[in-house]
Amino acid sequence: MSGRIPLLLLPGLLCDGRLWRDQVDALAGVADASVPDLTADDSIAAMAARVLADAPERFALGALSMGGHVAFEILRQQPQRVLRLALFDTSAAPDSPERARQRRLGITAMRQGRFVGVTRQLLPRLVHPRHVDGAVGAQVQAMAQRVGPEAYLRQQTAILGRADARPLLAAIAVPTLVVVGADDAMTPPAEAQCIAAGIRDAALHTVPACGHLPPMEQPEATTALLRHWLMR
């Protein structure tokens, strides 16, 4: 027995293990961290079931964006296995009609052979302006290309069909951390505030000068928040 806390870190749409790479490395002394693959299923329920099938008996659970939807579903399916919960830049509410329309347009474009991953035009909605032309922006684009069009289709289909997680919030009874980038244009801070208000004793943190991807944009701050959450 290593004495380290089992930690699952769930990625977002068009994200792979690179999203949480810095935290997996930096937390190695206190956590046995891994990043499950969320590319194989076209429903949030199936993603959650696949994660649970491969997970330790009990574990801490961190998640970003789409991964947050999977985390909520894990808490529906087998809440007794989750020791603590960290939610980054996600939403408990269903998509707005406009957001759902944008997702369907993306699905249609992909089916017509026009998958473009994360474009230069989309990057400012994902990362803080200071990262658009730098290494982080390039890594986000490369990550999306690795995930690829078929997984993108499955993931967007899953997100569109997800359940409303707001009724679940009051039943969450594990230590919970809610984090959002101050400049997140995809899931603005109001979404995190809603989640934190619904979970008893949840800790809410806003990361300055940060967009939708704190683990990559502000890796040291993200690691510090996770370390405190794991050890408190």
Side-chain angles (χ1 to χ4, degrees):
M1 297 292 291
S2 69
R4 295 182 297 164
I5 302 167
L7 171 61
L8 303 184
L9 294 168
L10 305 181
L13 175 71
L14 287 177
C15 294
D16 60 16
R18 171 60 188 91
L19 176 70
W20 295 106
R21 183 193 67 191
D22 295 333
Q23 289 70 48
V24 171
D25 292 344
L27 294 170
V30 297
D32 183 8
S34 61
V35 182
D37 181 2
L38 301 183
T39 65
D41 300 292
D42 63 2
S43 77
I44 296 297
M47 290 178 183
R50 188 183 297 271
V51 170
L52 285 164
D54 293 332
E57 182 58 31
R58 301 194 75 198
F59 50 87
L61 182 61
L64 182 140
S65 195
M66 180 192 74
H69 309 324
V70 179
F72 286 133
E73 181 61 29
I74 286 172
L75 287 164
R76 285 192 189 91
Q77 292 185 17
Q78 296 190 26
Q80 74 281 1
R81 295 178 63 183
V82 179
L83 296 166
R84 55 190 63 228
L85 177 67
L87 298 168
F88 285 73
D89 299 81
T90 192
S91 173
D95 282 342
S96 67
E98 175 58 22
R99 188 71 181 275
R101 186 185 73 84
Q102 291 171 355
R103 291 193 196 280
R104 292 189 181 98
L105 287 174
I107 289 172
T108 298
M110 200 288 295
R111 286 174 171 160
Q112 294 172 349
R114 298 203 306 270
F115 176 74
V116 291
V118 172
T119 65
R120 184 68 171 70
Q121 292 71 35
L122 180 60
L123 266 178
R125 290 184 55 79
L126 285 174
V127 298
H128 188 273
R130 68 183 180 138
H131 291 306
V132 169
D133 294 317
V136 169
Q139 290 165 18
V140 169
Q141 290 182 298
M143 187 165 58
Q145 289 299 322
R146 288 194 299 272
V147 173
E150 296 301 327
Y152 170 81
L153 175 60
R154 289 189 288 270
Q155 290 178 337
Q156 287 285 40
T157 301
I159 294 169
L160 278 168
R162 73 187 188 275
D164 187 344
R166 290 173 295 183
L168 178 70
L169 299 179
I172 296 174
V174 295
T176 300
L177 171 68
V178 181
V179 180
V180 65
D183 305 288
D184 189 346
M186 300 293 287
T187 52
E191 300 283 353
Q193 292 161 9
C194 174
I195 293 171
I199 300 174
R200 183 176 179 180
D201 297 329
L204 173 64
H205 290 272
T206 301
V207 182
C210 187
H212 190 60
L213 302 173
M216 295 178 69
E217 297 180 67
Q218 294 278 15
E220 294 85 4
T222 298
T223 297
L225 287 167
L226 286 173
R227 187 182 300 274
H228 182 265
W229 162 76
L230 285 166
M231 303 306 295
R232 82 183 207 198

